[in-house]
Amino acid sequence: DAGVIQSPRHEVTEMGQEVTLRCKPISGHNSLFWYRQTMMRGLELLIYFNNNVPIDDSGMPEDRFSAKMPNASFSTLKIQPSEPRDSAVYFCASSLGGGYTFGSGTRLTVV
Amino acid sequence: RKEVEQDPGPFNVPEGATVAFNCTYSNSASQSFFWYRQDCRKEPKLLMSVYSSGNEDGRFTAQLNRASQYISLLIRDSKLSDSATYLCVRRNSGAGSYQLTFGKGTKLSVIP
């Protein structure tokens, strides 16, 4: 198994632009998580999907952030419009009732 | 108060030294605990689970004290390859058990 696959690995964008981050979970995993990591706040859960359904989105910072999981093998996290304070590493993780497996992350820089 | 607190370090230790990290948590409903390791510019990876009876995996020993809400990780005979950030993690019990809450991590540098 290739593990959790995220793209792009790095993204540099200008303030106000739309950013879309992508994730392919491990096949057979029924839970998918989006986390954000910054120096100041560490790893924070943004949203949790179970069987493609959003269960907990209380960590999504504001309406500029949205996430979808149209099927079991794909999820997106979108930021529109992006702001410099959104600069962080965004991790996707998947799970099947046990420990998490994280993707390699997307390092987002908004200038 | 943050739910999981760790000393950020950095801990700079020579090869072969023994080093211990501590972690405290504030939610007494927490059920499961873990240590994750995160290398620079990489994703977090599970190092080991933490059990009340204490558990050992090679040079690594984890301890949990529920009464004091305290977790520890001991690394013996440290290697250069142990240099990383160590994240203390808890999983809630009950309805919120899907969620892992991460500490901000303790950075370890093992020096030749």
Side-chain angles (χ1 to χ4, degrees):
Chain A
D1 197 323
V4 177
I5 299 172
Q6 290 187 246
S7 64
R9 290 295 304 274
H10 302 274
E11 176 81 35
V12 180
T13 191
E14 290 186 347
M15 184 173 64
Q17 296 298 306
E18 176 179 298
V19 176
T20 300
L21 312 181
R22 297 172 176 80
C23 175
K24 176 177 166 53
I26 291 174
S27 177
H29 281 192
N30 63 352
S31 296
L32 184 140
F33 307 84
W34 281 100
Y35 275 80
R36 177 172 67 177
Q37 186 174 36
T38 61
M39 289 288 291
M40 289 295 295
R41 301 174 68 87
L43 272 163
E44 301 174 289
L45 177 66
L46 299 177
I47 188 167
Y48 158 58
F49 291 90
N50 185 258
N51 292 322
N52 313 338
V53 177
I55 303 299
D56 181 359
D57 65 355
S58 59
M60 296 286 265
E62 50 198 91
D63 292 345
R64 298 184 298 106
F65 285 68
S66 63
K68 294 182 180 179
M69 191 164 186
N71 56 62
S73 59
F74 184 64
S75 176
T76 59
L77 177 67
K78 185 177 294 186
I79 308 172
Q80 167 62 19
S82 58
E83 296 182 3
R85 61 194 168 115
D86 301 331
S87 298
V89 181
Y90 291 80
F91 287 104
C92 176
S94 71
S95 169
L96 182 62
Y100 289 12
T101 301
F102 283 84
S104 300
T106 295
R107 184 172 296 273
L108 173 65
T109 303
V110 184
V111 299
Chain B
R1 181 182 172 189
K2 191 163 172 57
E3 293 185 48
V4 179
E5 294 200 45
Q6 299 181 247
D7 181 343
F11 284 60
N12 299 314
V13 302
E15 272 187 287
T18 295
V19 60
F21 306 137
N22 302 321
C23 168
T24 58
Y25 62 96
S26 59
N27 186 338
S28 60
S30 303
Q31 183 167 28
S32 309
F33 298 89
F34 311 89
W35 283 101
Y36 274 66
R37 170 192 169 128
Q38 186 172 22
D39 292 291
C40 186
R41 293 185 171 265
K42 299 286 188 181
E43 70 274 23
K45 293 183 179 179
L46 177 65
L47 178 66
M48 60 195 301
S49 301
V50 186
Y51 304 117
S52 296
S53 56
N55 49 300
E56 191 173 303
D57 182 3
R59 297 181 293 107
F60 297 81
T61 301
Q63 295 275 359
L64 165 62
N65 184 320
R66 288 191 185 273
S68 302
Q69 296 184 190
Y70 172 98
I71 300 153
S72 65
L73 177 67
L74 183 78
I75 306 175
R76 292 180 299 279
D77 187 24
S78 53
K79 313 291 186 189
L80 296 177
S81 57
D82 295 334
S83 298
T85 296
Y86 291 83
L87 304 169
C88 176
V89 184
R90 73 165 177 82
R91 183 197 296 274
N92 275 350
S93 57
S97 62
Y98 59 83
Q99 182 172 350
L100 296 184
T101 300
F102 289 79
K104 293 168 78 170
T106 299
K107 185 173 181 180
L108 171 67
S109 293
V110 181
I111 303 163

